[in-house]
Amino acid sequence: MIEHEELFLKSALAGDSVVSPTEEIMPWFWSRRDAHEFVIEQIPFSAMDRWGVEPITGNLMHESGSFFSIEGLQVKTNYGIRSEWQQPVINQPEIGFLGILAKQFDGVLHFLMQVKMEPGNINMVQLSPTLQATRSNYTGIHKGRAPSYLEYFFDLKKHRVLVDSFQSEQGGRFFRKRNRNIIIEVEEDVPVLPDFKWMTLGQVQHLLSIDNIVNMDTRTVIGCIPFGGATDGYGFPADSFRRQLMDSALSKGEAFHSYAEIRSWFTSQKFRFDLDVSLIPLNEVSEWEKGDFEIYHQRQDYFSIIACRIEAGSREVVSWTQPLVKAPEPGLVAMVTRRINGVLHCLVQAKVEPGIFDVLEMAPTVQCTTGRYRIVPKGHEVPFLDYVLNVSADQIKYDALLSEEGGRFYQEANRNVVIDAGDDFPLEVPENYIWMTLRQLKEFVKYHNHLNVECRCLLSCLAFLDPQEVAE
Amino acid sequence: MIEHEELFLKSALAGDSVVSPTEEIMPWFWSRRDAHEFVIEQIPFSAMDRWGVEPITGNLMHESGSFFSIEGLQVKTNYGIRSEWQQPVINQPEIGFLGILAKQFDGVLHFLMQVKMEPGNINMVQLSPTLQATRSNYTGIHKGRAPSYLEYFFDLKKHRVLVDSFQSEQGGRFFRKRNRNIIIEVEEDVPVLPDFKWMTLGQVQHLLSIDNIVNMDTRTVIGCIPFGGATDGYGFPADSFRRQLMDSALSKGEAFHSYAEIRSWFTSQKFRFDLDVSLIPLNEVSEWEKGDFEIYHQRQDYFSIIACRIEAGSREVVSWTQPLVKAPEPGLVAMVTRRINGVLHCLVQAKVEPGIFDVLEMAPTVQCTTGRYRIVPKGHEVPFLDYVLNVSADQIKYDALLSEEGGRFYQEANRNVVIDAGDDFPLEVPENYIWMTLRQLKEFVKYHNHLNVECRCLLSCLAFLDPQEVAE
């Protein structure tokens, strides 16, 4: 088992590649963007094609009943400020498939990454996994054109499966949506299409230091990658944050809590919090209004649902309409870290979210994705938020705007931050928070539905290489 | 982490105890049974007290709306012979709590076991965990008398938590029911009430060699116990089944599949099978009839629902009525094992069951709990069933009738069998089956909802000690 975890480590430490020189990557990225044409415009719901409002429920649906729908969600919980509310939710029962092909070149694992257009993307295109498919694509129920490289994922026995688990998407927006996150290693030659390029993990993570280049689907899969192998620190200074990150990922030194303690904490939190949700008709959702162009909360400070028309393609123009979710302003996702007995630990919370598959998952220290965190009532402050917003610049070890999935979200980006809190940060934390090493997080992510999407995405940003060095 | 796994091993190898001599256990068990009086009689549904049929839905419910109810379930799946059916189901949304107190005496871990009456019990009483409680007991919502020893489970930080996870119950009978399975080690003196006794794991497992003594709640918790530590085989002959069992549990030798392969197999099976279930009114369940005394399938070969009146207690008589589920005949649960590269492996299946929390869980090789396995149509034979039914007696390493939970099931017992299939048994198995070591099963059981209740219960029976030797 360790063998492929060592391969992942070596790839994370590879800032350049024999097949894809680093300096060629961004020029290629922008040239591929320019090779596609693309127009998106907001339209009234009434102008949507093949999408419509179901008369009785008010749900926004495709005429085929497939893809996804916008419905209402009734939520009751003993977690957080509000014990009961209703909201719109994206209902997409079909399991998605996020797959990355991996292959060794000169003994270094490379990942076949794709420049992919999605309607809601900032930059129009972003770096995506080899394959984004639905279960219908996979089983061939829809007769349409199969996505590229799908065939590699049919008979998994032919390849080595390195990562393979069901993972959640945004629990505040989706109703129990899950994707199969999978990385397989192939040995044969793979034809590389123009929108695709082999990259090391170090190269992908370098792109993560730039705002809005690497899409959410890539980040969630990359976030599942475990690292292994003995190391002498690869020459990184012992007091550098990146060395401490690596040691924490490789389980060097003693963790503050045993796995048994963390599992019991997780079980206790699931036992403690209730979550009772049910789908309701969209037109029965209180406090939300439907206009001609937008379904929005009366206070206008949550997300809204809009309708868009998209035209894409350079030669043959493809055009369609679809709903997208629009956020009012960027949210904030932050992981606070500190050394405990010399080992770097992350401060993780058990967070209840209405659309989560099983009550709660492990989340970053601070997760405020609606922007509403600025107006929380007195006495209900989000734990550690003030700390994160006021931390000194030299304690911020990672800071970038990263986009949510452009197939469902309209130009939505959240600020992702990693903080080195220093050894004075209190060890004692509220009951639903716990300190974990990076290795421990990477163990739990191997099992379905333990780390939420915000947490997995933040883990993907924890590069062992200094982006400055890669860029030089 | 290994530390408590070594303690578990030592306890499993302790056939006697300094505090509870083995020869005193069964006499104590029967004397405690005789200390209680108890009458159960079947009554018509109309004679039930505080239970009734909800007029619109036909659901069988308690007037308070709490405890549990009997409702209908609509099932659609691409697994198995039938793609669609309806059936009655027990709906008990509240999480149960199955807790065992553990404490070392002379360095050997003992478990505080209880002789407990349940209305459906064969033998009236069976050996139960220290605590069987509901979440309402735990949070004190119901003002009734708190169960004994509940207070030890309030502040878990005071003790060492050895096992703590959510686990499923029978997926064919319950709708997504889950129990918190927990073992905590205490250091202080604990007063021992008359119906309670400290026992080693070896002693509890010895009782598992006798029909219908150890209840299902004990078995599921015991089944979660992991074993650890280095061993020279404790003097067991290298070719004995029990030695091979222990080596497999302690991860001696190489497993046929890596954890990554098993996780990917599990993910693949979840991806492959659909399960779409919804609660429906009981009176809309087709093919089932409601008589005055029984709700039953037209063919009479599934379980049925009956109503009972119970009178219990020696001085103060307590009386109540409740529904119970009654099975027509004992089912069969069997684990086939064989050595692969010298290491004992279990043949595990991914089994879809309608009431399972997440599509499917890992189940024993053969699981036929309705007795209907005798009348399966030609061409739809249950894999490995014929093999299990016709195996020679010397290959059967464990064989006992074990009861289902007496609080819900009326005198239901299933035959539990463990088979040493020998090295000629085919390694190649159908896609939804896989070979796993005992250690691997014990790793997966640490996470919520990986092993089903039949599998966990069968694991609890895999004793390292020979029952003959303990008895002598």
Side-chain angles (χ1 to χ4, degrees):
Chain A
M1 184 173 63
I2 295 303
E3 201 192 333
H4 72 261
E5 299 190 351
E6 278 192 63
L7 272 179
F8 280 133
L9 177 63
K10 200 170 165 189
S11 185
L13 291 169
D16 211 335
S17 154
V18 289
V19 288
S20 308
T22 299
E23 69 268 20
E24 293 176 7
I25 289 179
M26 284 312 293
W28 163 81
F29 179 87
W30 296 122
S31 76
R32 291 320 302 165
R33 183 190 63 170
D34 296 341
H36 298 278
E37 283 181 30
F38 169 82
V39 181
I40 178 166
E41 58 168 340
Q42 192 176 349
I43 55 173
F45 292 112
S46 58
M48 292 188 86
D49 180 29
R50 310 188 68 190
W51 283 83
V53 173
E54 208 273 320
I56 296 167
T57 60
N59 293 345
L60 204 51
M61 302 183 71
H62 192 261
E63 63 177 24
S64 67
S66 48
F67 302 104
F68 62 96
S69 57
I70 309 291
E71 308 185 22
L73 193 71
Q74 165 75 45
V75 186
K76 287 182 198 173
T77 179
N78 61 352
Y79 172 95
I81 305 175
R82 289 186 80 179
S83 61
E84 197 167 348
W85 74 90
Q86 300 173 335
Q87 66 167 77
V89 76
I90 309 169
N91 187 14
Q92 184 171 357
E94 195 177 32
I95 292 174
F97 200 100
L98 304 178
I100 297 183
L101 278 189
K103 181 173 157 69
Q104 295 183 40
F105 295 92
D106 270 10
V108 178
L109 206 59
H110 284 62
F111 303 90
L112 189 58
M113 305 307 299
Q114 174 184 189
V115 169
K116 190 174 195 315
M117 190 284 286
E118 296 280 9
N121 273 348
I122 296 171
N123 290 326
M124 188 180 113
V125 297
Q126 293 202 6
L127 199 70
S128 307
T130 318
L131 177 70
Q132 292 175 203
T134 61
R135 194 163 168 277
S136 306
N137 287 140
Y138 192 83
T139 56
I141 290 171
H142 294 321
K143 298 274 181 242
R145 199 167 61 92
S148 306
Y149 302 105
L150 179 65
E151 65 275 17
Y152 289 88
F153 294 88
F154 279 135
D155 187 0
L156 296 179
K157 284 189 190 130
K158 284 191 199 161
H159 315 292
R160 185 153 72 141
V161 180
L162 308 182
V163 159
D164 189 4
S165 56
F166 283 5
Q167 302 292 353
S168 60
E169 292 210 357
Q170 289 83 347
R173 310 285 174 84
F174 285 103
F175 179 66
R176 297 182 182 164
K177 180 169 196 289
R178 296 200 293 180
N179 287 319
R180 183 173 181 179
N181 285 231
I182 185 165
I183 302 178
I184 60 174
E185 184 188 350
V186 298
E187 295 200 345
E188 68 254 50
D189 283 340
V190 176
V192 176
L193 297 169
D195 286 334
F196 292 78
K197 198 181 254 305
W198 291 109
M199 298 181 193
T200 68
L201 182 53
Q203 290 178 315
V204 175
Q205 288 192 309
H206 172 57
L207 300 182
L208 275 162
S209 67
I210 314 170
D211 288 353
N212 300 313
I213 297 294
V214 179
N215 85 346
M216 192 204 79
D217 306 275
T218 300
R219 302 198 310 274
T220 161
V221 181
I222 296 288
C224 295
I225 287 179
F227 300 105
T231 164
D232 56 359
Y234 290 86
F236 294 10
D239 63 349
S240 73
F241 185 72
R242 286 167 194 283
R243 165 70 180 274
Q244 291 166 358
L245 211 53
M246 190 161 62
D247 286 348
S248 182
L250 295 174
S251 202
K252 290 195 82 172
E254 201 186 345
F256 190 52
H257 293 290
S258 69
Y259 284 97
E261 284 168 1
I262 297 169
R263 278 193 297 263
S264 180
W265 166 82
F266 196 56
T267 304
S268 292
Q269 300 310 310
K270 283 201 186 194
F271 187 71
R272 177 180 166 208
F273 292 118
D274 295 320
L275 177 65
D276 179 8
V277 295
S278 49
L279 290 172
I280 57 171
L282 185 57
N283 57 20
E284 288 180 13
V285 171
S286 60
E287 299 186 17
W288 288 72
E289 307 288 337
K290 182 173 179 300
D292 294 338
F293 280 84
E294 207 168 4
I295 299 166
Y296 57 95
H297 191 269
Q298 287 165 352
R299 275 201 315 273
Q300 306 256 13
D301 53 9
Y302 282 104
F303 64 87
S304 60
I305 313 288
I306 62 172
C308 292
R309 176 185 313 283
I310 300 103
E311 286 192 9
S314 36
R315 291 174 209 171
E316 206 179 334
V317 175
V318 182
S319 149
W320 74 94
T321 65
Q322 71 166 80
L324 285 170
V325 173
K326 189 180 171 184
E329 55 182 336
L332 175 68
V333 178
M335 188 72 90
V336 170
T337 70
R338 66 155 282 181
R339 279 153 301 282
I340 305 175
N341 305 324
V343 180
L344 196 73
H345 283 69
C346 298
L347 183 52
V348 175
Q349 64 169 312
K351 188 168 174 62
V352 176
E353 297 179 272
I356 279 295
F357 189 76
D358 187 15
V359 185
L360 55 80
E361 295 184 1
M362 298 176 188
T365 320
V366 170
Q367 178 187 321
C368 300
T369 47
T370 63
R372 287 195 77 238
Y373 62 88
R374 291 168 226 275
I375 50 161
V376 173
K378 196 93 183 158
H380 293 286
E381 289 80 7
V382 176
F384 308 111
L385 176 62
D386 258 5
Y387 174 79
V388 167
L389 290 175
N390 296 303
V391 81
S392 68
D394 64 320
Q395 292 184 285
I396 298 178
K397 301 300 176 184
Y398 178 86
D399 193 353
L401 282 170
L402 299 175
S403 299
E404 302 309 317
E405 222 281 306
R408 299 290 171 270
F409 300 105
Y410 180 75
Q411 306 216 336
E412 175 170 355
N414 289 301
R415 188 181 165 206
N416 281 250
V417 180
V418 177
I419 290 166
D420 180 357
D423 297 356
D424 298 334
F425 192 90
L427 269 186
E428 197 67 35
V429 291
E431 204 180 331
N432 56 320
Y433 290 74
I434 200 166
W435 292 102
M436 292 169 67
T437 65
L438 206 46
R439 175 73 205 180
Q440 291 177 324
L441 282 163
K442 293 289 190 174
E443 275 302 308
F444 284 105
V445 80
K446 292 178 182 173
Y447 296 86
H448 309 299
N449 295 109
H450 275 73
L451 271 62
N452 78 356
V453 66
E454 289 80 3
C455 189
R456 298 191 314 275
C457 285
L458 205 47
L459 292 190
S460 75
C461 306
L462 295 172
F464 302 142
L465 290 178
D466 187 329
Q468 303 300 330
E469 291 170 16
V470 176
E472 275 161 16
Chain B
M1 184 173 59
I2 295 301
E3 201 192 334
H4 72 263
E5 299 190 351
E6 278 193 63
L7 272 180
F8 279 133
L9 177 64
K10 199 169 166 189
S11 185
L13 292 169
D16 210 336
S17 153
V18 290
V19 288
S20 307
T22 299
E23 70 268 19
E24 292 177 8
I25 288 179
M26 284 311 295
W28 164 79
F29 180 87
W30 296 120
S31 77
R32 290 320 302 165
R33 182 190 62 169
D34 297 341
H36 298 278
E37 283 179 30
F38 169 82
V39 182
I40 178 166
E41 57 169 342
Q42 193 177 348
I43 54 172
F45 292 113
S46 58
M48 292 188 85
D49 180 31
R50 310 189 66 188
W51 283 83
V53 173
E54 207 273 319
I56 296 166
T57 59
N59 293 345
L60 204 52
M61 303 185 71
H62 193 262
E63 62 175 25
S64 67
S66 49
F67 302 104
F68 62 97
S69 57
I70 309 291
E71 307 185 22
L73 193 70
Q74 165 75 46
V75 187
K76 288 183 199 171
T77 180
N78 62 352
Y79 172 94
I81 305 175
R82 292 187 77 177
S83 62
E84 196 166 349
W85 74 89
Q86 300 173 335
Q87 66 167 79
V89 75
I90 309 169
N91 188 14
Q92 184 170 358
E94 195 178 31
I95 292 174
F97 199 100
L98 304 178
I100 297 183
L101 278 189
K103 182 174 156 68
Q104 295 183 41
F105 295 93
D106 269 10
V108 178
L109 205 59
H110 284 61
F111 303 91
L112 190 57
M113 304 308 298
Q114 175 185 188
V115 169
K116 189 173 195 313
M117 191 282 287
E118 295 281 8
N121 273 348
I122 296 171
N123 291 325
M124 189 179 114
V125 296
Q126 294 202 6
L127 199 69
S128 306
T130 319
L131 178 70
Q132 292 175 203
T134 61
R135 193 163 170 276
S136 306
N137 288 138
Y138 192 86
T139 55
I141 289 170
H142 295 318
K143 296 277 181 238
R145 199 166 60 93
S148 305
Y149 302 105
L150 178 64
E151 64 275 18
Y152 289 88
F153 293 88
F154 280 136
D155 186 0
L156 297 179
K157 284 194 190 124
K158 283 190 196 162
H159 314 294
R160 185 155 70 142
V161 180
L162 308 182
V163 159
D164 189 4
S165 55
F166 283 6
Q167 302 292 352
S168 59
E169 293 209 359
Q170 289 84 349
R173 311 284 176 83
F174 285 102
F175 179 66
R176 297 182 183 166
K177 180 170 195 288
R178 297 201 293 181
N179 287 318
R180 183 174 182 181
N181 285 232
I182 185 165
I183 302 178
I184 60 173
E185 184 188 352
V186 298
E187 295 201 345
E188 68 254 52
D189 283 340
V190 176
V192 177
L193 298 169
D195 287 332
F196 292 78
K197 197 182 255 304
W198 290 110
M199 298 181 195
T200 67
L201 183 52
Q203 290 179 315
V204 175
Q205 288 192 308
H206 172 56
L207 300 182
L208 275 163
S209 65
I210 314 171
D211 288 353
N212 300 311
I213 297 293
V214 179
N215 85 348
M216 191 203 81
D217 306 275
T218 300
R219 301 199 310 274
T220 162
V221 180
I222 297 288
C224 295
I225 287 178
F227 301 105
T231 165
D232 55 1
Y234 289 88
F236 293 10
D239 63 347
S240 73
F241 185 71
R242 281 162 200 287
R243 165 70 180 275
Q244 290 165 358
L245 211 54
M246 190 160 63
D247 285 349
S248 181
L250 294 173
S251 203
K252 290 193 84 171
E254 202 187 342
F256 189 50
H257 293 290
S258 69
Y259 284 97
E261 285 168 1
I262 298 170
R263 277 191 299 262
S264 181
W265 166 82
F266 196 56
T267 304
S268 292
Q269 300 310 309
K270 283 200 187 196
F271 188 70
R272 176 180 166 208
F273 292 119
D274 295 319
L275 177 66
D276 179 9
V277 294
S278 49
L279 289 171
I280 58 171
L282 185 57
N283 58 19
E284 288 180 13
V285 172
S286 60
E287 300 187 16
W288 288 72
E289 307 288 337
K290 182 172 179 301
D292 294 339
F293 279 84
E294 208 168 1
I295 298 165
Y296 56 96
H297 192 268
Q298 287 165 350
R299 274 201 315 275
Q300 305 256 13
D301 54 6
Y302 282 103
F303 64 87
S304 60
I305 313 289
I306 62 173
C308 292
R309 177 187 312 282
I310 301 104
E311 285 192 10
S314 36
R315 291 174 208 170
E316 207 179 331
V317 176
V318 183
S319 152
W320 74 94
T321 65
Q322 71 166 77
L324 285 170
V325 172
K326 188 179 172 184
E329 54 184 337
L332 175 68
V333 177
M335 188 72 90
V336 170
T337 69
R338 66 155 281 182
R339 279 153 302 282
I340 306 175
N341 305 325
V343 180
L344 196 73
H345 282 69
C346 299
L347 183 52
V348 175
Q349 64 169 310
K351 189 170 174 59
V352 176
E353 298 178 272
I356 280 295
F357 189 75
D358 188 15
V359 186
L360 54 79
E361 294 184 3
M362 298 176 189
T365 320
V366 169
Q367 179 187 322
C368 299
T369 47
T370 63
R372 286 196 78 238
Y373 61 89
R374 291 170 227 276
I375 50 161
V376 173
K378 196 90 182 161
H380 293 288
E381 289 80 8
V382 176
F384 308 110
L385 176 61
D386 258 5
Y387 174 81
V388 168
L389 290 175
N390 297 302
V391 81
S392 67
D394 63 319
Q395 292 184 287
I396 298 178
K397 300 301 177 186
Y398 178 87
D399 192 353
L401 281 169
L402 298 175
S403 300
E404 302 309 316
E405 223 280 306
R408 298 290 172 270
F409 300 105
Y410 180 74
Q411 306 218 336
E412 175 169 356
N414 289 302
R415 187 179 164 206
N416 281 249
V417 180
V418 177
I419 290 167
D420 180 356
D423 297 355
D424 298 334
F425 192 89
L427 268 184
E428 196 67 34
V429 291
E431 204 180 332
N432 57 319
Y433 290 75
I434 199 166
W435 292 103
M436 291 170 67
T437 67
L438 206 46
R439 176 68 205 183
Q440 290 177 326
L441 282 163
K442 294 288 191 175
E443 275 302 308
F444 284 104
V445 79
K446 291 176 182 173
Y447 296 85
H448 308 300
N449 295 109
H450 275 74
L451 271 61
N452 78 355
V453 66
E454 288 82 2
C455 190
R456 298 192 312 275
C457 285
L458 207 47
L459 291 189
S460 75
C461 305
L462 295 174
F464 302 141
L465 291 177
D466 186 330
Q468 303 301 330
E469 291 169 16
V470 175
E472 276 162 14

